[in-house]
């Protein structure tokens, strides 16, 4: 998914949001229940962009024009190195309707969880401003 990768690498979160389907389902690496909706998912992704340091995509897996893609990345949260993968599914119109993130190792996932928990109030406020999204 070239457009998503380009938007993330350019730190253009408005462009990332524009690629999301209205009913996108985001599955976090550190929360059991998925999040639903463009506004909430975009707010979460903005927080991730604030939390991750030295973020870079390293490999993309998926056929050009296909509906399923995996984008492998590395980043840092504080002093913890993280390796991970964004799994994207596109709907019939080419928008992202499923985004699942996996990260490793456990110490990196724990650092990510703590950093994202510190962003919770801001995420909730941004999602309320932009529209309605719900967990579960």
């Amino acid at each position: 998914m070239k457009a998503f990768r380009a938007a993330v690498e350019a730190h253009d979160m408005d462009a990332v949001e524009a690629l999301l389907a209205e009913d996108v389902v985001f599955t976090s690496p550190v929360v059991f229940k998925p999040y639903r909706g463009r506004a909430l998912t975009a707010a979460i992704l903005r927080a991730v962009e604030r939390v991750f340091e030295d973020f870079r995509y390293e490999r993309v897996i998926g056929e050009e024009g296909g509906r399923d893609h995996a984008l492998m990345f590395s980043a840092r949260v504080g002093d913890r190195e993280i390796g991970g993968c964004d799994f994207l599914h596109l709907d019939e119109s080419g928008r992202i309707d499923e985004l699942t993130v996996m990260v490793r190792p456990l110490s990196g996932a724990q650092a990510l969880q703590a950093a994202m928990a510190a962003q919770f109030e801001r995420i909730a406020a941004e999602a309320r401003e932009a529209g309605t999204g719900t967990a579960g």
Side-chain angles (χ1 to χ4, degrees):
M1 151 63 53
K2 289 181 183 179
F4 181 81
R5 180 180 182 170
V8 169
E9 291 176 337
H11 306 281
D12 186 348
M13 300 314 289
D14 290 337
V16 170
E17 183 173 359
L19 295 169
L20 301 175
E22 188 62 40
D23 60 348
V24 62
V25 176
F26 173 75
T27 304
S28 165
V30 295
V31 177
F32 178 72
K33 287 187 176 184
Y35 296 97
R36 298 178 189 279
R38 179 187 295 150
L40 183 55
T41 299
I44 292 167
L45 294 177
R46 282 184 170 87
V48 170
E49 202 262 338
R50 292 188 297 268
V51 165
F52 275 167
E53 300 172 56
D54 302 325
F55 180 89
R56 63 196 167 281
Y57 281 118
E58 297 178 341
R59 187 170 15 161
V60 177
I61 302 167
E63 296 178 16
E64 186 67 34
R67 292 178 61 185
D68 292 292
H69 302 273
L71 291 80
M72 297 177 68
F73 65 84
S74 63
R76 193 170 41 82
V77 176
D79 64 350
R80 298 293 178 186
E81 296 290 325
I82 292 178
C85 193
D86 292 336
F87 296 96
L88 309 175
H89 181 270
L90 307 180
D91 65 14
E92 297 82 20
S93 67
R95 292 195 186 275
I96 299 166
D97 64 355
E98 293 176 22
L99 171 56
T100 300
V101 180
M102 301 287 197
V103 297
R104 64 165 306 279
L106 178 59
S107 61
Q110 290 167 329
L112 177 60
Q113 181 180 31
M116 290 299 291
Q119 297 281 321
F120 180 78
E121 294 297 325
R122 186 169 176 184
I123 291 168
E126 288 178 3
R128 276 192 305 273
E129 262 181 43
T132 304
T134 58

